Amino acid sequence: MYAKVIVDVPAKQTDRSFDYIVPERMRRWIEIGSRVSVPFGARKLQGFVVDILRETDEQLPEGSKIKPIEEVLDIVPPLTRELVELSEWMSGKYLCYRITALQSMIPAALKAKYERRLSVARGAEQEEIGYQLMLLPDQVEIVQYIRGKGDVESEKLLEKFPGKEDAIKSLVAEGILEETQVVKDRMAKKKVLTVYPRSSGILEEQLAALPANAQSQKQILTFLIENHEPIFLSQLTVKLNVSASAVKALGDKGCLTVKSVESYRDPFADREFKTTRALKLTSEQQEAYGLIDQYLRDRSHIVFLLQGVTGSGKTEVYLQSIQSCIEQCCEAIVLVPEISLTPQMVERFKGRFGDLVAVLHSRLSHGERYDEWRKIRSGKVKVVVGARSAVFAPFTNIGLIIIDEEHEASYKQEDSPKYHARDIAIERAKHHRAAVVLGSATPSLETFYRAETSSFRLLRMNERVLGARLPKVEIVDMREELKAGNRSMFSRSLYSAIQQRLEKQEQMVLLLNRRGYSTFVMCRSCGYVAQCPHCEISLTYHRNSGMLRCHYCGYAEREKRQCPDCESEHIRYFGTGTQKVEEQLCALFPGIRVIRMDVDTTAEKGSHEKWLTQFRSRQADVLLGTQMVAKGLDFPYVTLVGVIAADTILNLPDFRAAEKTFQLLTQVAGRAGRHELPGEVVIQTYVPEHYSVTYAGQHDYHGFVDTELRARKDRGYPPYFHLILITLTHENVPLLIKAGETLAGDLKMMWNEWSRSESIAHAEDRPLMHVYGPVASPIPRIKDRYRFQCMVKYRGDLDAAGMVRQACHRLELAMNKDKLQIGIDVDPQMMM
DNA sequence: AGCACGCCGACT
DNA sequence: GTCGGCGTGCTC
C-alpha cells in the first residue's frame, strides 16, 4: 500500500506528490486527508495524504528510493476528501502551491512545529566519556545533563549552554549524542480537571457518615446527589464556594474521582444567549425564503443573489433558511465580513440555534479556534458562522452557504493562496449540490452581472422591514464652500447639522477614510515631501505620537520642524486624517464627546467592541472613523451621517474606485434613521457631479450599475474581462524591467500562437487576451524592493491562467538565483 | 525551503 | 596539506 503525500515545502520544485509506503500498522487509519509525518531528504516533515494506492504487489523496482511513512498525526483526518480535491482546484485557479492551499484549510493549531531532540547514543558508556574519547569538560557536563533528562530539545539545550554550539555539534558528529526530529502540533488539546461522582447510593451513605463540622463536604455531596453527573472541578468550587481540598478529601473517601479530561475551550462559556423564535416574514422575505427553501428540499445546486436594501431583513431570511437546512439534515456555512462579526451578530445565531453553532473569527486564540473547528469536524455543530476562512469548514454534507455583504473586499485573501471566498463557496456548493446565497444591498458588479445574464438567480427585497424611510441625502460641493470663504473641513450644512444633533441630544456617525492627522508633509520653499526611505510613499503625520509614519511598512520618524533639504522652516502639513477631524470637532463644538475608531485606536483586542458599546449606550455624541464605522452597525439614536470627503477612494488608481465609493456611501447612508427617528446624510465632495456620488445620493443602485457597466465594457474590465496581475519585485530596477519585458513578451507570443491555431470567429464574445506592462506598481517600492507589474486581461474560453503559469515558470528558470520574486493575483481586488 | 555534496581560497 | 566558504541540485 502506498500513499501520495504533499509535503510541507512551499517551493516550485516540491510542488507535487511524493510516494511513501504505508506500514502495516497504519493501514486501517490512513485516509485521503490524513496528516502524516514523513522522512524527506535529511529531514522529517509534515505532509498531507492526497491519494492512496492499495496495490498489493509491493515489489519495489531495484534501487527505488521509496520510504515508509513515519506516523499518522491525527485519529480523524483533518481534511475531507472533498477538501483535498478542492486544494487541487485552488492551486490551478489561483496559481499557488498545493501545500499552500492545503495549509489554508486547517486551523493554525495544526500547522507543524518541527522540533529536534538530543539524547545520549546507546553505546556511549559512562566510563568512556572524558577518558577514551578525550572530551572537554564542557562536553562532559552537557552529556551528563542530557543523560539525566533522557532527551532534551535542541533549542532548550542551547539556552542552557549558551555559546556551546560547536561542542554540541562535535558530540553529534562523534556519535555520542543522537539527534531525532519530531513533528508536533502547535497546540495541545486543553485538559480540564473533571469530577466524576460515584453511584448515588455511595454518596448518600457517605453523606450520613460525615462529621458535623465537614460543612463543605456536605454541601458538595448534596449537590452531587441532586445533580448526578460529571462536572468541571472549577465550576463546582465556584458554584458552591468551596475549596478544591474539600473535593479531594471526598475523592480519598471514594465518593468521586477527579480526572483530567480533554475539553473544548468555549469562548462563550459564561455568556447566556436569549433564545429567539422565527419572526413573521414580510411578503418579500417570504418569497425569497420560499425559493431558497425549495432548492434546499430538492437538494440541487444553485446560486442566489439576495439583493435587499439596508434594513430589509436579510438576516431573518438567512436564519430561516438555515433552519430549513438543518431540518433536511444538512449543514450550513455563514460567512460575514470580519468587521461585522460582532457579539450582536453572534448572538442572533446562537440565540436561534444554540449549541449547534460554531463561531470562527480572528479574535479567538489558536486554541479556541481549534476547538471550534473540532466541533465542526466531529459533527457536533451544524452551523458555522465565520469570516473568510470559515468557507473551508470541514463539513461533509453541506446544504447551504451564505455570504453576507457579498461585495466586501475582505472576502478576497490578500496573501497566497489569493482566493476569493465566493469562488470557493460556489465550488464547494457544486460538489455538495448545495445552495449559495449571496446577500448585499450593493452587489459587486461581477455578481450582479451574472445574476442579470445567466447563472445566478436574483431575489430582490426593496422595502425596509420597519417601514422606515431611506434617509434624505445632501451632497455638498466643497469647491463652493471654498468660494464662499469657508476654509474649514466642515461645510456650513454639516456644521449646522452637527449643531442640531448636539442640541437634540441625538447621535451621529462621521466617516473619513484616512487615519492619522495629515496625509503628507511638504516644504513650501523647496517642495520636499517626507517619504518613507523603504517604500515609495509619503509619510503620514500622527499628532499624538508626534511621529511621521509609513502606512505600508510601519517605518516611523520624529516630526520635522525644519526641512531636511533646504533647512527652511516652511514645513506644512497637508491633507486631513481622522486625528485632525477629532481635534477640529473638539475645537468647534466645546464639550462634544467623540469616539474615534480606526486602526490606531482599535489595535488592542476587544477595543473595537468596547468603543461600539460605549457609543451604543450614548456615552458619546459622535462616532468618527474610517470605513470600519460604515459596516453593519445599527444604532437607534443615530440621525446624522456625515462623510467628510467622499473622494478619497475615488482618486485611487483602481478600476473599482467608483464601485467602492458608491458602496461605501450607500452603506453609511443606510446607517441613519433605521428606527423611528428620521435620518439625514451629508456627503462632502469636490466632485459632486460624479455618478458614484449622485446615484448614492438617490439610493439608486441600478442607475449606478448601468453607468458603471458601460464604463467597464468600454475599458475592458470585469465583469467583461478577467484580470491576472503579475507583480515582480527586486532590488535592481534594470533587471526588473528586463524580467518584466521577457514575461510580457512570452505571454503575447503564447496568445498569438493560441489564436492562430484556433479559428477565430469575429463574434462579440470570441476569446481575447491583452497583455499590459511592465509598468511600475502604484506603490513602486516597498521595503527596499522595487515593484513592477504586468497585467493580463482576457475573456472567453481560454486558459490564460495556464499561460501565465508557464510564462512565470520559464522566467523563474531564466532568472533563478537572481532573487526575483513573482507574485500572481488572479481576479485581483486591488491593483497595488 | 533545507540540507548534503562538491569544488576553490586563506590558514595551521 | 586542511578547514570552510557558499554555489548546485535533490528530496519518494
Side-chain angles (χ1 to χ4, degrees):
Chain A
M1 188 191 236
Y2 305 96
K4 291 196 173 292
V5 175
I6 305 284
V7 294
D8 186 16
V9 182
K12 174 131 268 158
Q13 292 178 309
T14 49
D15 191 27
R16 62 181 179 92
S17 67
F18 288 84
D19 297 337
Y20 287 89
I21 291 169
V22 181
E24 187 62 47
R25 67 196 154 84
M26 295 176 198
R27 292 188 182 182
R28 301 177 52 223
W29 292 74
I30 202 157
E31 287 174 55
I32 290 178
S34 288
R35 202 166 54 108
V36 291
S37 111
V38 291
F40 194 68
R43 300 182 284 167
K44 194 182 291 176
L45 294 176
Q46 186 187 74
F48 292 92
V49 175
V50 294
D51 201 5
I52 291 173
L53 307 173
R54 297 183 186 276
E55 256 130 70
T56 42
D57 138 32
E58 299 213 338
Q59 280 140 336
L60 297 175
E62 199 56 39
S64 161
K65 292 169 285 183
I66 192 163
K67 294 176 185 175
I69 287 176
E70 164 102 5
E71 195 188 344
V72 180
L73 294 170
D74 316 86
I75 298 172
V76 179
L79 296 173
T80 62
R81 178 189 280 264
E82 180 235 336
L83 288 169
V84 169
E85 282 166 17
L86 182 67
S87 74
E88 193 177 5
W89 177 83
M90 275 174 79
S91 66
K93 161 126 185 140
Y94 298 108
L95 305 175
C96 67
Y97 302 124
R98 186 86 186 270
I99 189 65
T100 316
L102 288 164
Q103 294 281 23
S104 69
M105 298 175 173
I106 57 163
L110 292 182
K111 263 205 93 186
K113 190 177 120 191
Y114 297 105
E115 197 179 275
R116 298 153 172 282
R117 304 189 76 90
L118 290 167
S119 57
V120 180
R122 271 186 294 153
E125 295 302 328
Q126 183 84 37
E127 308 85 84
E128 287 180 289
I129 296 164
Y131 298 102
Q132 271 117 312
L133 293 169
M134 306 223 291
L135 297 182
L136 302 165
D138 278 346
Q139 292 182 311
V140 176
E141 201 188 325
I142 291 169
V143 173
Q144 298 295 12
Y145 176 78
I146 295 174
R147 190 189 294 283
K149 292 239 173 187
D151 63 345
V152 181
E153 203 191 321
S154 305
E155 305 253 315
K156 296 255 165 68
L157 190 70
L158 277 172
E159 279 167 32
K160 184 87 187 159
F161 298 95
K164 297 279 173 273
E165 289 89 344
D166 289 347
I168 295 167
K169 245 185 219 158
S170 54
L171 283 170
V172 176
E174 286 164 38
I176 296 164
L177 291 184
E178 242 170 20
E179 192 186 58
T180 45
Q181 289 184 40
V182 198
V183 178
K184 283 180 111 185
D185 294 352
R186 224 150 256 244
M187 190 60 53
K189 293 180 176 86
K190 192 190 174 191
K191 300 253 174 159
V192 175
L193 291 175
T194 309
V195 175
Y196 289 83
R198 304 287 288 276
S199 77
S200 310
I202 298 177
L203 297 186
E204 273 160 32
E205 210 173 280
Q206 287 289 333
L207 180 61
L210 280 179
N213 62 354
Q215 279 301 324
S216 298
Q217 297 188 30
K218 213 176 261 176
Q219 236 183 309
I220 297 166
L221 283 181
T222 316
F223 177 83
L224 288 177
I225 290 165
E226 278 169 27
N227 307 278
H228 195 259
E229 52 191 23
I231 180 170
F232 295 148
L233 179 63
S234 56
Q235 277 178 10
L236 190 64
T237 52
V238 169
K239 211 168 209 146
L240 302 179
N241 192 25
V242 296
S243 72
S245 66
V247 180
K248 192 169 177 294
L250 287 170
D252 294 340
K253 287 177 186 157
C255 298
L256 48 86
T257 47
V258 179
K259 278 193 281 189
S260 179
V261 175
E262 192 183 296
S263 100
Y264 297 118
R265 280 156 269 235
D266 186 353
F268 301 99
D270 44 6
R271 290 270 301 279
E272 290 197 2
F273 294 96
K274 244 193 271 159
T275 52
T276 63
R277 297 267 192 77
L279 304 174
K280 177 125 178 52
L281 299 179
T282 65
S283 62
E284 277 186 340
Q285 286 175 320
Q286 181 60 46
E287 204 171 310
Y289 165 72
L291 209 54
I292 296 168
D293 182 53
Q294 186 191 317
Y295 276 87
L296 287 173
R297 285 170 195 280
D298 291 353
R299 199 70 207 273
S300 61
H301 170 62
I302 185 164
V303 181
F304 289 108
L305 165 56
L306 177 59
Q307 185 181 15
V309 296
T310 45
S312 61
K314 292 189 286 288
T315 310
E316 188 58 33
V317 175
Y318 301 157
L319 289 167
Q320 298 199 19
S321 302
I322 295 166
Q323 184 66 46
S324 161
C325 175
I326 295 173
E327 281 162 13
Q328 315 300 317
C329 293
C330 292
E331 298 127 351
I333 296 174
V334 183
L335 302 184
V336 297
E338 183 66 56
I339 203 85
S340 44
L341 199 46
T342 57
Q344 293 89 287
M345 184 64 146
V346 171
E347 209 160 333
R348 291 192 75 170
F349 286 89
K350 286 256 178 181
R352 194 69 64 87
F353 305 111
D355 290 341
L356 290 177
V357 183
V359 179
L360 292 173
H361 61 83
S362 65
R363 294 277 149 106
L364 298 178
S365 72
H366 281 180
E368 288 168 339
R369 214 184 151 75
Y370 176 43
D371 288 342
E372 292 294 292
W373 183 87
R374 274 157 64 219
K375 288 187 206 163
I376 300 165
R377 182 70 181 106
S378 62
K380 285 198 174 62
V381 297
K382 296 292 170 209
V383 182
V384 55
V385 180
R388 182 179 58 231
S389 64
V391 78
F392 296 115
F395 281 136
T396 49
N397 190 27
I398 298 171
L400 176 64
I401 305 179
I402 292 167
I403 304 187
D404 189 31
E405 306 294 340
E406 165 287 325
H407 59 276
E408 277 289 312
S410 68
Y411 286 123
K412 171 88 177 179
Q413 174 139 73
E414 286 302 329
D415 37 45
S416 185
K418 301 187 176 187
Y419 64 87
H420 199 296
R422 193 201 298 134
D423 300 337
I424 305 282
I426 292 171
E427 189 63 20
R428 290 197 76 183
K430 277 184 198 158
H431 179 275
H432 290 271
R433 284 185 288 131
V436 175
V437 176
L438 307 174
S440 176
T442 52
S444 65
L445 268 83
E446 285 90 331
T447 297
F448 183 79
Y449 183 73
R450 291 180 73 176
E452 284 279 90
T453 55
S454 55
S455 47
F456 297 176
R457 175 102 185 233
L458 181 60
L459 305 170
R460 276 213 184 104
M461 301 201 298
N462 296 319
E463 295 157 24
R464 292 186 127 183
V465 170
L466 301 171
R469 294 265 213 73
L470 285 167
K472 183 180 129 251
V473 179
E474 184 187 353
I475 295 166
V476 180
D477 185 346
M478 290 306 274
R479 295 170 303 193
E480 294 298 322
E481 293 293 313
L482 208 59
K483 272 188 211 155
N486 176 11
R487 309 194 69 196
S488 98
M489 65 179 74
F490 301 107
S491 60
R492 289 159 295 176
S493 293
L494 186 54
Y495 181 91
S496 68
I498 295 173
Q499 190 83 54
Q500 280 171 30
R501 304 309 127 156
L502 288 174
E503 280 160 17
K504 286 196 269 181
Q505 300 194 359
E506 292 170 358
Q507 291 180 295
M508 57 208 122
V509 171
L510 295 182
L511 176 92
L512 178 65
N513 214 6
R514 264 194 226 122
R515 63 198 178 95
Y517 189 86
S518 293
T519 42
F520 66 106
V521 178
M522 190 171 87
C523 168
R524 283 227 162 139
S525 302
C526 71
Y528 160 87
V529 175
Q531 280 208 325
C532 173
H534 308 288
C535 314
E536 221 129 286
I537 195 153
S538 52
L539 296 172
T540 301
Y541 174 48
H542 285 238
R543 187 157 211 181
N544 292 355
S545 50
M547 299 296 262
L548 302 177
R549 277 181 207 288
C550 170
H551 284 184
Y552 282 94
C553 72
Y555 168 86
E557 62 184 42
R558 291 222 66 80
E559 63 179 296
K560 302 254 163 37
R561 289 270 146 256
Q562 223 183 17
C563 174
D565 276 8
C566 70
E567 297 181 1
S568 122
E569 291 185 3
H570 293 276
I571 287 274
R572 292 293 178 271
Y573 293 81
F574 294 90
T576 303
T578 45
Q579 283 185 20
K580 192 165 174 182
V581 177
E582 183 182 18
E583 189 188 274
Q584 294 275 305
L585 275 172
C586 294
L588 287 170
F589 307 98
I592 196 169
R593 298 167 301 166
V594 180
I595 291 178
R596 176 162 62 90
M597 261 182 51
D598 53 35
V599 192
D600 302 311
T601 64
T602 55
E604 202 183 310
K605 257 197 178 188
S607 56
H608 190 253
E609 284 149 19
K610 191 184 77 192
W611 294 128
L612 292 180
T613 312
Q614 257 186 44
F615 186 65
R616 183 178 302 277
S617 59
R618 305 179 77 184
Q619 292 172 49
D621 309 302
V622 180
L623 180 65
L624 161 68
T626 51
Q627 31 195 321
M628 64 173 73
V629 301
K631 319 287 178 181
L633 309 179
D634 188 1
F635 303 104
Y637 292 98
V638 170
T639 58
L640 170 67
V641 169
V643 181
I644 310 278
D647 327 314
T648 45
I649 309 178
L650 216 44
N651 295 325
L652 292 177
D654 185 340
F655 72 89
R656 267 186 262 261
E659 183 183 355
K660 284 184 183 157
T661 301
F662 177 81
Q663 283 165 349
L664 186 65
L665 294 179
T666 308
Q667 297 280 332
V668 272
R671 295 309 107 212
R674 287 175 65 118
H675 299 263
E676 294 82 31
L677 299 168
E680 184 188 350
V681 178
V682 178
I683 296 174
Q684 304 188 152
T685 171
Y686 287 94
V687 281
E689 65 282 354
H690 192 280
Y691 61 96
S692 62
V693 178
T694 53
Y695 284 122
Q698 294 155 18
H699 306 287
D700 184 357
Y701 177 81
H702 291 97
F704 169 75
V705 163
D706 281 348
T707 311
E708 180 66 5
L709 279 177
R710 240 176 291 131
R712 298 277 182 94
K713 192 169 192 176
D714 290 346
R715 289 182 291 156
Y717 278 116
Y720 300 98
F721 275 78
H722 298 282
L723 305 180
I724 302 176
L725 182 70
I726 309 159
T727 305
L728 307 173
T729 74
H730 200 274
E731 291 172 1
N732 178 338
V733 175
L735 187 142
L736 205 48
I737 293 174
K738 197 175 142 248
E741 278 166 355
T742 311
L743 182 70
D746 257 16
L747 282 167
K748 282 175 195 158
M749 205 185 65
M750 288 161 95
W751 156 246
N752 284 337
E753 261 168 45
W754 189 91
S755 61
R756 224 175 296 132
S757 70
E758 301 285 310
S759 59
I760 296 293
H762 282 273
E764 269 274 289
D765 57 348
R766 70 177 202 278
L768 202 55
M769 177 169 141
H770 301 293
V771 182
Y772 300 87
V775 294
S777 294
I779 309 158
R781 184 168 56 126
I782 295 182
K783 291 184 188 169
D784 291 325
R785 294 182 72 91
Y786 289 91
R787 303 156 55 78
F788 272 73
Q789 59 189 30
C790 295
M791 166 88 76
V792 177
K793 282 186 187 175
Y794 72 96
R795 70 174 187 204
D797 192 11
L798 164 71
D799 183 21
M803 293 189 198
V804 169
R805 157 173 294 197
Q806 210 185 322
C808 288
H809 182 68
R810 265 190 236 164
L811 183 65
E812 254 170 14
L813 286 181
M815 297 243 165
N816 77 338
K817 80 195 181 277
D818 273 328
K819 290 185 288 178
L820 177 79
Q821 276 177 22
I822 307 176
I824 305 171
D825 192 345
V826 177
D827 304 336
Q829 262 314 296
M830 286 201 300
M831 291 303 158
M832 313 276 184

